[in-house]
Amino acid sequence: SYHSKVERPLVHRQMLQERGGEILILRLQGFIFFGTAQKLLDRIKERLNDRQQPRLHFVILDFRQVVLLDSSAVFSITRGRLAT
């Protein structure tokens, strides 16, 4: 669960409370290489297929703490290739 630092009107807070489960936020850190990227995409795929949770509409990848990205990881993430 993440909470915004922005003060929002009540109607917006209620909407986020009701529909927040439709958003997946992943905070990444360190060095992202192909294997890490594939695990990341597998986690997203797992969440997409989880019928116990609300339907996923948004995925937010937070790269603020990532220090390096391998070119194959960038390609995998931008293409969204999910291994089956």
Side-chain angles (χ1 to χ4, degrees):
S1 289
Y2 295 98
H3 296 279
S4 175
K5 295 178 183 176
V6 175
E7 189 63 34
R8 300 188 187 283
L10 178 60
V11 67
H12 293 176
R13 291 193 309 264
Q14 289 172 333
M15 184 181 352
L16 286 169
Q17 182 68 32
E18 292 170 11
R19 302 192 62 192
E22 299 173 4
I23 305 167
L24 175 63
I25 301 171
L26 298 172
R27 297 173 83 184
L28 310 174
Q29 64 183 18
F31 179 57
I32 308 295
F33 60 97
F34 178 76
T36 310
Q38 190 57 54
K39 286 181 185 178
L40 171 68
L41 294 173
D42 289 344
R43 183 168 176 193
I44 295 168
K45 181 179 179 181
E46 183 179 304
R47 174 58 182 82
L48 281 167
N49 294 323
D50 186 349
R51 302 289 182 220
Q52 302 297 320
Q53 296 197 41
R55 184 169 176 234
L56 190 61
H57 287 272
F58 302 98
V59 176
I60 299 171
L61 302 177
D62 181 350
F63 285 90
R64 284 181 289 183
Q65 295 183 358
V66 170
V67 293
L68 287 171
L69 279 165
D70 178 273
S71 61
S72 60
V74 172
F75 184 74
S76 291
I77 292 169
T78 57
R79 294 287 185 176
R81 297 181 190 257
L82 301 173
T84 56

